[in-house]
Amino acid sequence: MDIKDIRSQFPILDQQVNGRPLVYLDSAATSQKPIKVIETLEKYYKEYNSNVHRGVHTLGTRATDGYEGAREKIRKFINASSMEEIIFTRGTTTALNTVAASYARENVKSGDEIVISYMEHHSNIIPWQQVAKKTGATLKYLPLQEDGSISLDDARNTITSNTKIVSIMHVSNVLGVINPIKELAQIAHQNGAIMVVDGAQSTPHMKIDVQDLDCDFFAFSGHKMCGPTGIGVLYGKKKLLNNMEPVEFGGEMIDFVELQDSTWKELPWKFEAGTPIIAGAIGLGAAIDFLEEIGLDNINAHDRKLAQYASERMSEIEGLKIYGPKERTGLVTFTMDDVHPHDVATVLDADGIAVRAGHHCAQPLMKWLKVSATARASFYLYNSEEDIDELVKGLIKTKEYFSNVF
């Protein structure tokens, strides 16, 4: 990978923040967008902005071709068996809520179990809390090992014949841990449960094959993988989606509407009520083209290398604690003795270094870690070891500043 060439394709990175060159280390929250994606969005709005499916005029046909063409790109990108299994959503959160509101509504009852883990993002906790409250099911948590990873032995002990849903994130947005989804899916299926995967943090960084993972549902967001905000994907096995009811109703998703009853379109459109996120889908298709040109294996190796380099360099700073396993994907979450994470992020920002600070929408995990908040530096294909070096300089400066203050 030629990092300079890649970086040149992201115009937002060529700027100064507070008089210093921008060092963007917050891609786990949202990635930056290459010029190819920006130009694709501009071209849609300039040249063929129109609604999809409904019209037979030229602009409508071009928009429909772009929208459905993006669906096919996504199908290939994650190796789904059919375009019918690709549902466009607003993002991972909406996708997970769709599974909870539709599948769980019909298939979970009192006495059943839903299994998640302590590391989950709030969007993979709260929907299942609501299902449990409404159905009388029990919400169970997979315990974590000391380094934050999941033990398959613990999974076998936690997932039982009463379990109906197992929902786990593929990669932790705090710990960087890569969970054994394929093996967890096998355990879930052996017990008659389905496997739901939050792929928000894995899909941008590694090749996804939903058929190999054998997950039943897989959710991810476009904005974390060089695509636009407001667009995401829910993959679901066709046999499950066919038996699920929509959660939104209105235009686009209907077949026939009578005075007292209505029928729905076939997959995937029965889950896409109203005018869809046309520009977002087309932009996500362009992002996938961009990522595949570089190669997901190359991106994965690069991100892991940066995470390893960052861990080694940051470990040299006295009083800095890193959370998560040694083997991780592209992020490092940490705290610094006697300095609040928000103060760390503020001082770094003064030098043009963007990191995330807070609970990262993972408050149960923060309690498990026995902290109220952490700081997080996350890396992507446009970052370099020089960015890590600047981060380390900034952290040393932060430590010295607060040592002098107190």
Side-chain angles (χ1 to χ4, degrees), residues 16-21 350:
Q16 292 196 337
V17 172
N18 296 319
R20 299 289 298 275

Side-chain angles (χ1 to χ4, degrees), residues 25-30 121 172-176 201 224 314 330-335 341 344-345 348 354-361 374-379 391:
L25 301 176
D26 196 22
S27 293
T30 196
H121 189 280
S172 169
N173 69 311
V174 175
L175 303 172
Q201 296 294 337
K224 296 182 188 293
M314 293 166 67
L331 62 84
V332 177
T333 296
F334 61 96
T335 53
V344 172
L348 291 175
V355 300
R356 180 74 36 168
H359 54 64
H360 314 292
C361 294
T374 61
R376 182 188 69 195
S378 53
F379 323 115
L391 170 64

Side-chain angles (χ1 to χ4, degrees), residues 264-277:
W264 321 135
K265 279 184 180 177
E266 66 273 18
L267 293 173
W269 304 291
K270 76 173 183 178
F271 289 102
E272 296 177 5
T275 296
I277 311 155

Side-chain angles (χ1 to χ4, degrees), residues 248-296:
E248 291 186 315
F249 305 91
E252 283 291 324
M253 52 76 64
I254 58 91
D255 190 8
F256 293 103
V257 176
E258 306 293 346
L259 292 179
Q260 301 298 328
D261 202 7
S262 302
T263 57
W264 321 135
K265 279 184 180 177
E266 66 273 18
L267 293 173
W269 304 291
K270 76 173 183 178
F271 289 102
E272 296 177 5
T275 296
I277 311 155
I278 305 166
I282 294 171
L284 178 54
I288 286 174
D289 290 340
F290 176 79
L291 294 176
E292 290 192 320
E293 287 174 10
I294 297 169
L296 269 295

Side-chain angles (χ1 to χ4, degrees), residues 113-303:
E113 299 170 350
I114 302 167
V115 174
I116 60 177
S117 79
Y118 285 104
M119 75 176 74
E120 301 307 314
H121 189 280
H122 294 164
S123 61
N124 201 31
I125 297 176
I126 300 170
W128 308 118
Q129 289 177 341
Q130 297 303 306
V131 170
K133 288 178 181 179
K134 291 179 180 179
T135 63
T138 300
L139 184 60
K140 297 170 65 176
Y141 285 80
L142 274 173
L144 302 181
Q145 299 300 296
E146 187 176 350
D147 64 356
S149 62
I150 289 175
S151 159
L152 291 177
D153 286 337
D154 285 337
R156 293 185 187 97
N157 291 330
T158 305
I159 300 167
T160 74
S161 59
N162 292 324
T163 304
K164 293 296 181 288
I165 296 173
V166 178
S167 190
I168 303 293
M169 62 191 343
H170 197 175
V171 169
S172 169
N173 69 311
V174 175
L175 303 172
V177 62
I178 305 167
N179 287 318
I181 294 299
K182 185 174 182 177
E183 292 78 6
L184 290 171
Q186 291 174 346
I187 296 169
H189 293 154
Q190 288 166 2
N191 286 277
I194 65 160
M195 185 74 210
V196 183
V197 182
D198 172 356
Q201 296 294 337
S202 62
T203 311
H205 300 276
M206 62 186 69
K207 187 62 180 174
I208 301 299
D209 185 334
V210 292
Q211 293 190 70
D212 181 62
L213 293 173
D214 197 23
C215 54
D216 298 284
F217 296 98
F218 189 96
F220 61 96
S221 299
H223 72 97
K224 296 182 188 293
M225 49 186 289
C226 296
T229 57
I231 184 72
V233 173
L234 171 64
Y235 157 82
K237 289 182 178 177
K238 185 177 177 180
K239 64 181 180 180
L240 297 177
L241 292 172
N242 270 327
N243 292 322
M244 289 165 53
E245 287 294 302
V247 295
E248 291 186 315
F249 305 91
E252 283 291 324
M253 52 76 64
I254 58 91
D255 190 8
F256 293 103
V257 176
E258 306 293 346
L259 292 179
Q260 301 298 328
D261 202 7
S262 302
T263 57
W264 321 135
K265 279 184 180 177
E266 66 273 18
L267 293 173
W269 304 291
K270 76 173 183 178
F271 289 102
E272 296 177 5
T275 296
I277 311 155
I278 305 166
I282 294 171
L284 178 54
I288 286 174
D289 290 340
F290 176 79
L291 294 176
E292 290 192 320
E293 287 174 10
I294 297 169
L296 269 295
D297 289 340
N298 293 330
I299 294 170
N300 188 20
H302 173 73
D303 294 345

